[in-house]
Amino acid sequence: MAAQCGRPSPGCTAPGTGYGHTVPLSDGGKAFCIIYSIIGIPFTLLFLTAVVQRVTIHVTRRPVLYVHLRWGFSKQLVALVHAVLLGVVTVSCFFLIPAAVFSVLEDDWNFLESFYFCFISLSTIGLGDYVPGEGYNQRFRELYKLGITCYLLLGLVAMLVVLETFCELHELKKFRKMFYVKKDRDEDQVHIMEHDQLSFSSITDQAAGGKEDQKPDEPFVGPEPPVPADGPPQR
């Protein structure tokens, strides 16, 4: 039976990569966990991508466009200020405030340990060395676990929205272009010209082949002369 504790101690072994202390022990449970992960991880990524795209439209793109059109500020400047403010709000609402709450609710956690738990969880590292709600005198354990689950889901979406907002900045786009592989336009034009020459050559070969089909010893058969209305000429 795996030990359960709220923080690492000499009598409690912290788990490795992962989150929490509940692990499958039987072969069937491990096989189900593998199959579930193969199916669940892609669907989770698709769900988060769809949610982040829709949230980014209402939280980032529309406010930036509104301020740009309403007051005439530079769009790049508005986007930069908006990204910084959004980052500050996200850090405050999903790191600093929850860390203060966890330091109060968890008896053996200080503020640094609570902040560490928030960062490790929302950055999807999830070492599992700190697990909230595992104290022996924890009240309303089920409700507390449900609240932590909602916090982690909302915090993950907020982190992805902030990253998407910063990735859309003009300065970062210029920085990312430095690592892109540039295509050689002259080489592309050479390929296009070679393709056109091959197509023209194939058409010419087809036309020449059609002329060779007509054998030189065969007489040219033209249209028959018209027959008079009163019949063929009398001899």
Side-chain angles (χ1 to χ4, degrees):
M1 180 177 178
Q4 294 184 353
C5 62
R7 60 178 299 176
S9 61
C12 177
T13 303
T17 303
Y19 182 78
H21 302 275
T22 303
V23 295
L25 300 179
S26 63
D27 294 338
K30 295 176 181 178
F32 174 78
C33 184
I34 294 174
I35 297 174
Y36 178 79
S37 300
I38 293 175
I39 299 175
I41 291 176
F43 275 95
T44 304
L45 295 177
L46 291 175
F47 169 75
L48 291 177
T49 301
V51 172
V52 169
Q53 287 180 352
R54 285 161 175 77
V55 173
T56 304
I57 293 175
H58 298 282
V59 174
T60 299
R61 297 174 183 173
R62 289 186 177 178
V64 170
L65 185 61
Y66 174 79
V67 174
H68 169 65
L69 297 177
R70 180 68 176 80
W71 285 283
F73 293 107
S74 174
K75 190 174 182 180
Q76 299 178 7
L77 178 61
V78 175
L80 179 60
V81 174
H82 174 270
V84 173
L85 291 178
L86 184 62
V88 172
V89 172
T90 301
V91 171
S92 301
C93 294
F94 292 95
F95 287 92
L96 299 178
I97 297 177
V101 173
F102 282 125
S103 63
V104 174
L105 296 179
E106 299 293 330
D107 297 333
D108 50 355
W109 288 15
N110 56 29
F111 182 82
L112 178 59
E113 292 171 337
S114 301
F115 186 87
Y116 168 81
F117 163 76
C118 296
F119 177 80
I120 292 295
S121 300
L122 296 183
S123 61
T124 67
I125 298 175
L127 296 179
D129 47 353
Y130 286 87
V131 182
E134 296 297 331
Y136 295 104
N137 57 348
Q138 181 65 51
R139 300 178 58 185
F140 308 106
R141 185 187 305 273
E142 291 78 10
L143 184 61
Y144 186 39
K145 293 284 188 179
L146 180 61
I148 294 174
T149 302
C150 296
Y151 156 73
L152 294 176
L153 183 59
L154 294 177
L156 185 58
V157 172
M159 289 290 295
L160 293 176
V161 170
V162 171
L163 292 177
E164 182 69 18
T165 301
F166 275 92
C167 287
E168 291 184 356
L169 293 178
H170 181 70
E171 291 77 9
L172 289 183
K173 288 183 179 179
K174 292 174 60 178
F175 179 74
R176 286 185 299 170
K177 288 181 180 179
M178 297 173 57
F179 301 94
Y180 290 164
V181 178
K182 296 182 180 180
K183 296 183 179 179
D184 192 355
R185 295 184 178 180
D186 296 335
E187 184 179 355
D188 295 339
Q189 292 177 359
V190 170
H191 290 331
I192 293 174
M193 293 176 62
E194 290 178 354
H195 179 71
D196 293 340
Q197 290 177 358
L198 291 174
S199 301
F200 180 75
S201 300
S202 61
I203 295 174
T204 306
D205 295 338
Q206 291 178 2
K211 292 181 180 179
E212 291 179 356
D213 292 339
Q214 297 180 357
K215 296 182 179 180
D217 55 348
E218 292 182 354
F220 179 78
V221 180
E224 297 183 356
V227 180
D230 54 353
Q234 299 293 331
R235 293 184 180 181

